[in-house]
Amino acid sequence: RSVCDIPVICSMTYMKNNRTLTGVSPQAAAVTLERLGASVIGCNCSGGPAELLAVIAELAETTELPLVVQPNAGLPLVSEGVVTYPLGAEAFAQAMLPFLPYQVQFVGGCCGTTPEHIRLLKMAVQGFVPEARRLERVGTLASRERVIKTGGQTLPKIIGERINPTARKKLAQGLRDGDYALIQSEAEAQQEAGAHLLDINVGTHGIDEVQVMADLVGLLQQGMTIPLCLDSTNSAVLERALALYHGKALINSVNGERASMESILPLAGRYGAAVVALTLDEQGIPETAEGRLAIARRIVAACADEGIPPEDIYVDALTLTVGTDICGPQETLRAMRLIKEELGVQLLLGVSNVSYGLPNRPKINSAFLAMAIAAGLDLAIINPLDEQMMDSWQSAALLAGRDVGAQNYL
């Protein structure tokens, strides 16, 4: 996409477990490739038509893009040095018909197929006119294995906040020493506790942030299945991390300052990432909900110029501690409602900021989380190891009607 403006078709090979050789799921491939600008996506080669049917089914329920399927004529058979394929031309053409209900637009063949296979396949699908697939537009984030959906009536999701050296001396020292054992254990514990994403922040003095973030992205992708939130305002740090990331990441963050938008948003557009949009600018954080809405409008307009759709924008209406402004949390909640209603974007919040400087912080945090979910919160940056917070999340999501069938609560 960076060197041409003609359509790009991306087709991938899947194994029997419906994963590529490097472990990519069909859903993750669809989410990532669509956001990167592919014009057509699909699958090829593999075992044969039957083996790719489940892959196409996953792709069809994940993306509205046109689909292509080009299977082998079955798995190759080798006898006395001669390679043959089990599906003849007529059998192959018939085996391709189950793909049509998924509204595939392109069909063909890979290993073992011949001009006769393609001729009979063309005859078999003659007259079929694929219908456009229409899917609900929700936010998506992806690791190479797993897709997280946000927005609409989906369950509000959790970003684990604990990989952050601010006020954590041991973690900061580990970053300086190149000892990432604590970070690995924190990542594993948060995923195990129910986090849907991990926020990765390496902002501390005495390190090469570009290299350390790159190291951590590579390391955590080896053992983690959930997507990453790349927490930096440094464009060099983000670009290196995005180039190494296997999936669709979340950038944390951009704000309403012109310099921030000009340096961060082109990266999100190029690397297919979603973005956290902070409602502050050169004048700081507006006191009123209307002021924060105005900044959100500017960022959303700038995102559109980079091809970033509303469902990939996570606006943080920002909350300050209630200890210094008793009305502050209410103004944040009002801003959230205004932003969601007018702009149709996702809502994100660093919940624990509300209790800074006060005793028994989890008591305040858990109550505010419930109020934010009622106001439409889609992504909550919290500590998933805090049982009180997780209890509040489960209960509030259920009462807000965003836990279908109470599956998460039960």
Side-chain angles (χ1 to χ4, degrees), residues 81-382:
V82 178
V83 179
T84 60
Y85 288 82
L87 291 180
E90 187 171 343
F92 179 81
Q94 291 302 307
M96 293 292 287
L97 295 180
F99 289 105
L100 301 188
Y102 295 104
Q103 309 305 322
V104 296
Q105 281 88 339
F106 301 92
V107 292
C110 199
C111 305
T113 59
T114 66
E116 183 65 8
H117 283 75
I118 304 306
R119 186 182 73 83
L120 293 182
L121 174 59
K122 181 180 179 181
M123 291 177 59
V125 300
Q126 197 76 36
F128 173 71
V129 180
E131 297 178 1
R133 298 184 310 283
R134 290 289 177 256
L135 304 175
E136 182 185 6
R137 301 303 295 179
V138 296
T140 54
L141 299 159
S143 65
R144 69 166 173 257
E145 297 181 49
R146 189 171 170 186
V147 171
I148 300 299
K149 294 183 179 181
T150 65
Q153 292 304 301
T154 64
L155 185 74
K157 302 304 191 299
I158 292 168
I159 301 179
E161 68 180 6
R162 291 179 59 83
I163 302 178
N164 189 325
T166 305
R168 299 196 66 189
K169 292 182 179 179
K170 286 185 178 180
L171 196 149
Q173 191 59 49
L175 291 174
R176 286 191 285 271
D177 295 340
D179 180 0
Y180 304 141
L182 178 58
I183 289 175
Q184 280 186 287
S185 64
E186 287 283 12
E188 292 166 2
Q190 290 181 96
Q191 179 174 268
E192 181 66 26
H196 302 96
L197 295 97
L198 286 180
D199 187 80
I200 310 299
N201 185 314
V202 300
T204 192
H205 70 277
I207 66 169
D208 180 346
E209 286 190 36
V210 173
Q211 187 58 53
V212 170
M213 180 67 91
D215 290 344
L216 285 180
V217 168
L219 178 66
L220 294 177
Q221 287 184 117
Q222 294 177 25
M224 309 301 296
T225 62
I226 57 179
L228 299 182
C229 175
L230 306 174
D231 191 345
S232 178
T233 56
N234 184 321
S235 59
V237 172
L238 290 171
E239 181 154 26
R240 180 78 180 280
L242 288 166
L244 295 171
Y245 185 67
H246 307 155
K248 180 179 175 183
L250 177 61
I251 294 174
N252 185 11
S253 60
V254 67
N255 61 57
E257 296 178 11
R258 180 179 296 276
S260 175
M261 291 189 288
E262 290 179 350
S263 65
I264 303 300
L265 294 183
L267 294 178
R270 176 178 174 82
Y271 291 99
V275 292
V276 176
L278 306 182
T279 53
L280 62 85
D281 59 14
E282 292 85 350
Q283 280 71 52
I285 303 172
E287 292 184 2
T288 67
E290 287 78 11
R292 298 177 202 185
L293 172 62
I295 294 175
R297 283 194 198 107
R298 294 206 307 269
I299 299 175
V300 169
C303 285
D305 292 339
E306 296 292 341
I308 304 167
E311 61 267 20
D312 281 343
I313 305 169
Y314 293 80
V315 175
D316 186 344
L318 298 172
T319 185
L320 302 177
T321 176
V322 69
T324 58
D325 182 0
I326 194 67
C327 297
Q330 286 300 312
E331 202 63 19
T332 296
L333 296 171
R334 194 166 73 85
M336 290 172 63
R337 294 187 179 96
L338 290 176
I339 290 165
K340 176 73 83 170
E341 182 178 350
E342 179 178 322
L343 301 177
V345 294
Q346 312 283 328
L347 295 177
L348 173 145
L349 199 62
V351 177
S352 61
N353 292 341
V354 74
S355 64
Y356 185 77
L358 295 171
N360 200 355
R361 296 183 65 187
K363 182 186 291 189
I364 299 172
N365 294 345
S366 59
F368 190 55
L369 174 61
M371 297 171 76
I373 289 174
L377 184 65
D378 299 299
L379 268 179
I381 302 178
I382 65 172

Side-chain angles (χ1 to χ4, degrees), residues 1-2 4-11 33 36-41 65:
R1 298 295 301 161
S2 62
C4 72
D5 58 4
I6 59 176
V8 178
I9 298 174
C10 297
S11 180
L33 293 171
L36 283 169
S39 302
V40 180
I41 64 172
L65 286 179

